[in-house]
Every structure is written in C-alpha cells, then in structure tokens.
Amino acid sequence: MASRKNAAIGFIFITLLIDVIGFGIIIPVMPNLIEELGHVNVSQASKIGGWLLFAFAITQFIFSPLIGNLSDRYGRRPVLLATLFAFSLDYLLLAFAPTLGWLFVGRVIAGITGASFTTASAYIADISSPEDRAKNFGMIGAAFGLGFVIGPMIGGLLGGLGTRVPFMVAAGLCFLNFLYGLFILPESLKPESRRPFEWVRAIPGVGLLNLRKYPAMKGLIIALILVYLGGHAVQTNWSFFTIERFKWTPGMIGISLTVVGVLVGAVQAGLTRVLNPKLGNEKSIYIGLALYAFGMLLFAFASESWMMFVFLVPYCLGGICGPALQSIMAGYVPANEQGELQGSLAGLMSATTIVGPLLMTNTFAYFTGKNAPIYFPGSSFLLGAILMVASAIIAYYSLHVKKAFQQV
C-alpha cells in the first residue's frame, strides 16, 4: 500500500512538473508571438499580455470550483486526465493561432484546464495521512519551482528555432503526460466516498461559504488570501523593482528567477519534508510567515544587487508555511469535499491574481512617480511584509479560537 501511494505521489509530481514546464516553455516567446500577431511593439504587447493574464485568471476563478466539485462526484482520475488532454489541445491552438483573438481563446481554455492543480491537490489529500499531508503538499511547490527553472530555459533554446516551436513542444509534453496518466494513474477517491454533484456548490465563492461550518476555517481562508496578495509583491514587482533600483538587464533578471526556482524547489521538495514533521503544521505556518515578512523587509531596503540574491534565502525558506496551512485546512474536510476545498482555494488564488498585481504595481508606481511624497521603490515589498504579519496574527487567532471552541 505504501509503495502504491508513493508511486501515485510521484505521478502527481511529474504531472505538475510537466504542466509547469509546458507553461514555462512559452514564457520567453509569448511576447514575440503577440508582436507578430498584433503587429505591435513590445510596449503595446505588454498591455495585451496583461489582458491575456486577466483572461486566464478570471476563467480559472470561475472554473476551479466546478472542476473540484466534478472530481468529488466522478473521481480524481477522469477529471485530471480530461484537463491534461485539453491542455495539450490548448497549446496546439496557440501554436497555430492565426490572430490575437485565438490567443485569448487559448488562454480561456488554459484557465479551465489549469484547474488540473485543483484535482491534483485533492488527489494528494486523498492519499496522504495527517502526518504526511504537509510534506506531500510541498511537492506542489517543488514542481512549481523546478518547472520554472527548466521550462523557460528550454523555451529560450527552442525559441531560436521559431516562435511557434515551444508551443508545439509544450503540446507534446502535455499529451505524453495524459498518456502516462491514462495507463498508470490509479483512482484515489473510493466510490463510497463520493457525493452527488450540486451546481450551486460549483458557483465561485459558494464553496468557501460552505466551509464556514468548520471551526477556524474562515480565519484560515482570510490568512491565505493575505499570503496570496502579499506574494504578489515579489511575483509581480521583482522585474520592475530590480530595473528601477539596480538597472538590471533581462539576463540578470533571468538568472535571479532561476535562483528563485532552485531555492523554492529545494525548500518544497526537501526542507519541508524534514522540518514539518519536527515543527508541526502550526509552528511551520508562523515561522514560514515570519521568514516571508523578514525577506520582503530586506528586499525593500536592499542597497546593492548582491543583497537581493542573499535575501532570497530567508524569503524562499518562508515557503514552509504554504503546505502546512494547506494541510491544516485539508484536515478539517472529509474526503468527499476535498475537491470542493481545493477548487475553492484555486479559485481564491486566481481572484488574488486579478487584484494582487494591480495593488502591488500601483503601489510601486505611486512611490516611484514624480509626485511621490517619498521615493521608495521597495514600497510594495514593505506592504507585502505587513500582509504576511497580518496573516500570521489571523492564523494564530483562528487556530486558538478553534481549540477553545473544541474544549467547551
């Protein structure tokens, strides 16, 4: 049984890794494809790229709860395989897109099929014991980290062969992933653990409201929202800040992002699996959020380029909090609602992807503009640190209110 679980976790890791590699492959060439199809310059292409990201995020926000609820009804395997197959078709569509309009169609499809992370997270929750749940959830972060190291590197090399080539390779990878799952992946949700599908529970936000029946869940959801929002201080503003503060070139930015990917992969795949069993979920949350906040505070006041690389260490170590927080939340919910939970959380992440970049880029723009009351390029990092501290306070309050509730 243990060997089968390990094999299943290995498959899920490979599935997510290939998904992220496929996404990363197209990053270096997407601007060129937008310029080619839209007959625009790079400045105009960046605006179009922003709208493409918006189309992806809003679609994922809408469909993640639906995909999660479908996996609670029909099982994880068929839903995961369907999204993988559709993802491969999406990349083919992008590879042969004749107009910008087709790129938007492709991003909408990607928003739907990107919900494979929802089903994969529910799968991990199904097969994990309470002791192993956090370290197994850490494999998701590891897949992100390693995928964003490997994908852009391959994409940059393939881009030299033509703008469309990386999309074709990404399509091939996703289809191989589908075939791999078709013949190897077992089902994780037993028939007796499934529940009827209810349309009302697939509406974005309704799933989160349904989770209110579990003590402490409301506070943990708010804490998670703050983590997602705070994270955009780095995810959205890294390039803008380093160009403004240190005049970094695209090459230097690329190197720094590679370092981020390596550190995130090491923390999620290795350190989380070692530290979490020793610290426990609750301490992992507080320590992780403290490290996130400390890292962002250091970024905000960095005065030399080399400092950014050094300060990445405490920031990336903060990644131990995410799997622990997700593990605690999954522990409150029965097996036949794991898909709904993970779908709701994925939708929540998509919603913060709509709000977070606007919040952080506008903060950065305000404090670096001509009319700024004080010139402070690190303002978005400082805001992110404040949000992480607030998240830790809310998580602590929520978890201890729950304990008090159980003792009454």
Side-chain angles (χ1 to χ4, degrees), residues 292-354:
Y292 269 152
F294 182 57
M296 288 187 182
L297 193 63
L298 293 174
F299 290 151
F301 295 98
S303 58
E304 301 287 343
S305 283
W306 61 266
M307 293 180 178
M308 299 300 288
F309 288 92
V310 174
F311 298 162
L312 277 172
V313 175
Y315 174 76
C316 290
L317 286 173
I320 64 172
C321 83
L325 185 54
Q326 196 171 4
S327 175
I328 287 179
M329 296 176 78
Y332 293 150
V333 178
N336 64 0
E337 293 182 12
Q338 286 295 334
E340 180 179 44
L341 170 65
Q342 301 304 331
S344 297
L345 295 182
L348 196 64
M349 181 182 290
S350 298
T352 58
T353 300
I354 298 169

Side-chain angles (χ1 to χ4, degrees), residues 258-298:
T258 299
V259 173
V260 171
V262 171
L263 289 174
V264 168
V267 170
Q268 300 288 353
L271 199 60
T272 296
R273 302 177 74 83
V274 175
L275 285 182
N276 184 269
K278 295 180 179 180
L279 295 174
N281 285 328
E282 191 171 344
K283 285 184 179 179
S284 294
I285 290 172
Y286 304 143
I287 293 173
L289 289 172
L291 286 167
Y292 269 152
F294 182 57
M296 288 187 182
L297 193 63
L298 293 174

Side-chain angles (χ1 to χ4, degrees), residues 226-248:
L226 295 178
V227 171
Y228 288 156
L229 288 175
H232 280 285
V234 176
Q235 297 165 22
T236 305
N237 258 25
W238 183 264
S239 298
F240 296 115
F241 174 80
T242 53
I243 290 172
E244 172 71 20
R245 188 73 178 84
F246 305 115
K247 311 302 179 189
W248 278 11

Side-chain angles (χ1 to χ4, degrees), residues 334-405:
N336 64 0
E337 293 182 12
Q338 286 295 334
E340 180 179 44
L341 170 65
Q342 301 304 331
S344 297
L345 295 182
L348 196 64
M349 181 182 290
S350 298
T352 58
T353 300
I354 298 169
V355 178
L358 293 175
L359 174 64
M360 294 305 175
T361 54
N362 278 282
T363 299
F364 174 83
Y366 179 74
F367 283 99
T368 55
K370 293 180 180 179
N371 299 320
I374 180 174
Y375 177 75
F376 186 31
S379 55
S380 58
F381 292 133
L382 183 59
L383 175 58
I386 292 171
L387 291 174
M388 294 299 177
V389 172
S391 176
I393 292 171
I394 292 172
Y396 179 84
Y397 175 80
S398 179
L399 290 170
H400 284 269
V401 165
K402 173 186 177 294
K403 288 179 181 177
F405 177 85

Side-chain angles (χ1 to χ4, degrees), residues 198-242:
E198 300 174 53
W199 277 106
V200 67
R201 295 176 72 168
I203 299 172
V206 171
L208 291 175
L209 293 176
N210 186 54
L211 296 173
R212 290 182 303 175
K213 61 188 176 185
Y214 302 109
M217 189 65 83
K218 182 179 178 181
L220 292 177
I221 289 171
I222 294 173
L224 195 61
I225 289 173
L226 295 178
V227 171
Y228 288 156
L229 288 175
H232 280 285
V234 176
Q235 297 165 22
T236 305
N237 258 25
W238 183 264
S239 298
F240 296 115
F241 174 80
T242 53

